[in-house]
Amino acid sequence: MKLKTNILSTRNSASIAYTIVRSMSAFLVALAPGVALAQAQNPIMFADVPDAAMIRVGNNYYMSSTTMHMNPGVPIMKSTDLVNWKLINYAYDTLADVPELNLTEGKSIYGRGSWASSLRYHKGMYYVSTFAHDVPGETYIFKTKDIEKGNWQRASFKPAYHDGSLFFDDDGKAYLIHGADVLKIVELNDELTGVKQSVPEKILIENASAPCGKNASLAAEGSQLFKVKGKYYLFNICAPANWGMRTAIIHRADNINGPWEGKVGLQDLGVAQGGLIDTPDGRWFAYLFRDFGAVGRIPYLVPVTWESGWPVLGDNGKVPEKLNLPASQGLIPNLVVSDEFNRKNGEEALPLAWQWNHNPDNSLWSVSDRKGYLRLKTGRIDTDFLLARNTLTQRTIGPTSSASVVLDISKMKDGDFAGLSAFQKEYGSVGVKVEREKKAIVMIATDKDKPVEAQRIALHQSKIYLKIDCDFTNKKDEANFHYSLDGKVWKPIGETFKMKYTIPHFMGYRFALFNYATKNTGGYADFDWFRIKY
């Protein structure tokens, strides 16, 4: 089968085979009515995986997502069933070597970094485009022939095209569709290293927010363009006036230059931004995400049917709880992982699930200095946790999840603070502070940007166990903090912490390992293991 990125093909024989499978499944259920076949459930991933872009190549699906100020960046995931996804790669290790990304000179890039990516496959090559607002203020295009193992070739150019959707048309021309409300299109040069100079930028749709009504609170953005059976379909997210429900809108045209007609594609539960994907057996789905409080923006799948040349999303306009797809096997170890920090020869220093907050200083961390431990060293003085380097993170998981660590603090110096955090702008942490050669277990709760010490307990040993329990059920968004002296008996510390999703960070809460100095450099903390469950 000859596969094209923008024309997601179907086969009659595959459709017939799928019909037979469904009939057999129904027959089996009829024979054994007390036995239910396992099905996928929405959300398909109860974790922060926003701005998804997705393609199918043969029987394999690939997805990219946004992780902004985290590095490595633009995670690439793989699935064979649209439900169970595994991290396989990143588009880059670091985006740029500048103070804002290095957390130096008091600067940061929280909530920015690289935003909504676009993922495409064209003539044997995989492409990812993304962009970075403000700093470095550029558009990036990465390409590789081996999406799972290969290194990405990188091109960058100005300006930063907001929410650019990379699109290859049948005539071989490559475009970026970008912008908000006024959506524009630029043609790229043959090497995809910049805009084609001989072709001026054009306005594609003057008022793309119109299907949301007048005075849209969120202008149409998040463009993703597809071509199906000769027609062009452009997906966007918007929100009606007064911050009404986030809405998926679709525009359709027979020619890429228009005219375009638009309509509401889905308005239910706030499940909105995303695009189209088909299966080898001829089914169609929309992949979208939903803002879900402190855990972040979580992905959903919505079945699609076709009527009069339009994709119709949902079951009678509603997002179904269950899907006729295989059940999820869980997010551990494919999206988040426990880590004993034991490394065999040839293994990567860190599993792909780990991401650093901003660019790391690679001279100040190690999994080889002490076998079976992650060592976080201090190399400068910091007074603000949010500006401290080498904070190592993984996603939290809903509806509930728990992370624990065991920490050797024997080599920490006066003024050092090391531990485990529920990490966002309004963060909660539990860790060990060293002050005048005395050690104490401390719980920090941040309120209105001010970190407050909620409780302090004297510590008279060099080994400590720390744990955070997160509850995102129905947007409860609470974290509770614990410590143990022996790893068996856990005691609460501090207060129940109300997690708050903030736009400045624009990211769901993360479990984070940290160690930073406030008085002296040269100390270090050794993490024996990190364990996560849900």
Side-chain angles (χ1 to χ4, degrees):
M1 178 178 68
K2 184 178 180 182
L3 180 75
K4 294 184 178 180
T5 302
N6 305 303
I7 304 178
L8 305 177
S9 61
T10 63
R11 279 187 170 182
N12 291 335
S13 57
S15 299
I16 294 170
Y18 171 62
T19 302
I20 293 172
V21 170
R22 287 194 64 181
S23 299
M24 290 180 65
S25 299
F27 175 70
L28 290 172
V29 172
L31 285 178
V35 179
L37 294 177
Q39 288 182 295
Q41 294 186 337
N42 271 319
I44 58 168
M45 302 161 83
F46 210 141
D48 193 43
V49 186
D51 302 338
M54 196 181 297
I55 58 173
R56 177 175 64 83
V57 180
N59 292 320
N60 296 321
Y61 303 94
Y62 298 99
M63 175 168 63
S64 63
S65 180
T66 293
T67 49
M68 299 181 218
H69 49 273
M70 296 293 174
N71 286 297
V74 187
I76 308 296
M77 290 154 275
K78 177 184 178 181
S79 175
T80 57
D81 60 13
L82 282 175
V83 176
N84 293 284
W85 293 88
K86 181 180 181 179
L87 270 168
I88 59 169
N89 207 342
Y90 287 93
Y92 62 82
D93 287 327
T94 58
L95 195 62
D97 183 13
V98 295
E100 290 85 351
L101 285 165
N102 291 331
L103 288 176
T104 55
E105 300 178 14
K107 298 179 179 180
S108 69
I109 200 166
Y110 282 110
R112 291 171 289 162
S114 60
W115 276 18
S117 60
S118 179
L119 178 62
R120 292 287 184 247
Y121 178 72
H122 180 67
K123 294 184 177 180
M125 189 75 72
Y126 295 88
Y127 296 86
V128 167
S129 67
T130 186
F131 70 103
H133 276 303
D134 302 329
V135 178
E138 294 181 327
T139 296
Y140 300 84
I141 296 180
F142 303 88
K143 66 179 182 179
T144 181
K145 289 186 177 181
D146 188 347
I147 193 171
E148 300 188 31
K149 297 180 181 178
N151 294 323
W152 295 83
Q153 299 177 49
R154 166 178 173 159
S156 62
F157 50 90
K158 291 183 180 292
Y161 287 111
H162 178 80
D163 283 5
S165 177
L166 181 61
F167 179 78
F168 294 93
D169 212 341
D170 298 342
D171 57 7
K173 293 181 179 180
Y175 301 93
L176 276 176
I177 293 85
H178 66 97
D181 192 34
V182 179
L183 302 182
K184 300 178 181 181
I185 184 170
V186 293
E187 186 177 341
L188 301 177
N189 61 32
D190 293 341
E191 295 77 26
L192 271 68
T193 56
V195 174
K196 198 168 187 176
Q197 295 301 307
S198 60
V199 181
E201 180 180 70
K202 300 176 183 177
I203 293 177
L204 200 66
I205 303 175
E206 184 73 44
N207 180 15
S209 307
C212 270
K214 295 182 179 179
N215 303 316
S217 301
L218 175 64
E221 60 177 12
S223 294
Q224 293 200 37
L225 181 62
F226 307 89
K227 193 174 185 181
V228 182
K229 295 182 178 179
K231 291 185 181 293
Y232 299 84
Y233 297 90
L234 181 60
F235 276 60
N236 293 95
I237 184 176
C238 70
N242 301 315
W243 288 105
M245 183 182 297
R246 283 172 171 77
T247 302
I249 56 174
I250 306 170
H251 284 82
R252 183 183 71 173
D254 294 324
N255 186 290
I256 195 168
N257 295 310
W260 293 83
E261 53 180 330
K263 62 190 296 186
V264 170
L266 182 70
Q267 194 172 57
D268 184 43
L269 301 178
V271 175
Q273 184 174 328
L276 282 172
I277 193 75
D278 75 337
T279 67
D281 55 35
R283 289 176 292 165
W284 290 84
F285 292 90
Y287 55 88
L288 308 162
F289 74 73
R290 177 187 184 188
D291 292 77
F292 202 83
V295 75
R297 295 177 287 171
I298 57 180
Y300 281 67
L301 283 175
V302 177
V304 171
T305 55
W306 292 87
E307 295 181 10
S308 302
W310 284 97
V312 179
L313 278 57
D315 293 340
N316 296 316
K318 299 296 182 182
V319 176
E321 292 184 5
K322 294 184 180 295
L323 298 160
N324 191 19
L325 290 167
S328 171
Q329 302 302 311
L331 305 186
I332 300 172
N334 292 327
L335 190 65
V336 297
V337 295
S338 295
D339 197 345
E340 301 296 316
F341 300 115
N342 286 312
R343 299 292 180 263
K344 298 177 182 178
N345 290 336
E347 283 188 331
E348 293 291 335
L350 293 171
L352 291 172
W354 289 112
Q355 287 180 287
W356 298 99
N357 175 33
H358 290 64
N359 294 343
D361 181 340
N362 290 320
S363 68
L364 296 175
W365 70 273
S366 172
V367 290
S368 60
D369 285 357
R370 182 181 179 186
K371 187 176 180 179
Y373 288 80
L374 167 70
R375 177 166 293 177
L376 296 181
K377 313 169 191 178
T378 63
R380 70 179 194 187
I381 304 301
D382 286 296
T383 57
D384 184 348
F385 172 44
L386 296 180
L387 292 177
R389 296 191 78 174
N390 287 14
T391 296
L392 188 60
T393 78
Q394 288 196 39
R395 293 169 177 83
T396 55
I397 313 172
T400 62
S401 55
S402 175
S404 57
V405 297
V406 58
L407 182 59
D408 183 338
I409 58 173
S410 58
K411 299 300 181 180
M412 291 173 65
K413 289 192 172 184
D414 186 36
D416 289 359
F417 185 23
L420 179 65
S421 181
F423 181 52
Q424 227 260 14
K425 187 171 186 286
E426 300 276 320
Y427 61 86
S429 301
V430 58
V432 174
K433 280 187 175 181
V434 181
E435 294 180 350
R436 297 177 183 176
E437 299 184 357
K438 293 183 179 180
K439 299 179 176 69
I441 311 166
V442 174
M443 187 266 165
I444 301 292
T446 308
D447 183 32
K448 296 179 181 178
D449 298 336
K450 294 182 179 180
V452 178
E453 189 175 296
Q455 189 175 359
R456 173 183 290 249
I457 300 170
L459 180 63
H460 304 289
Q461 60 188 55
S462 61
K463 188 176 183 180
I464 185 67
Y465 299 79
L466 307 170
K467 183 174 70 168
I468 301 176
D469 295 327
C470 294
D471 188 348
F472 303 104
T473 307
N474 297 323
K475 299 184 182 179
K476 189 176 182 180
D477 294 348
E478 290 182 350
N480 286 284
F481 300 77
H482 311 267
Y483 74 95
S484 174
L485 300 178
D486 58 8
K488 298 177 182 178
V489 178
W490 291 93
K491 298 180 180 180
I493 183 171
E495 60 190 37
T496 296
F497 176 66
K498 183 67 174 178
M499 295 179 283
K500 301 172 186 175
Y501 187 95
T502 66
I503 293 300
H505 276 210
F506 212 179
M507 184 174 290
Y509 272 76
R510 295 245 169 167
F511 291 121
L513 314 185
F514 66 90
N515 178 37
Y516 65 98
T518 63
K519 294 181 181 179
N520 304 284
T521 62
Y524 57 83
D526 285 343
F527 293 82
D528 192 356
W529 45 253
F530 168 87
R531 293 173 184 167
I532 186 169
K533 62 182 181 179
Y534 73 108

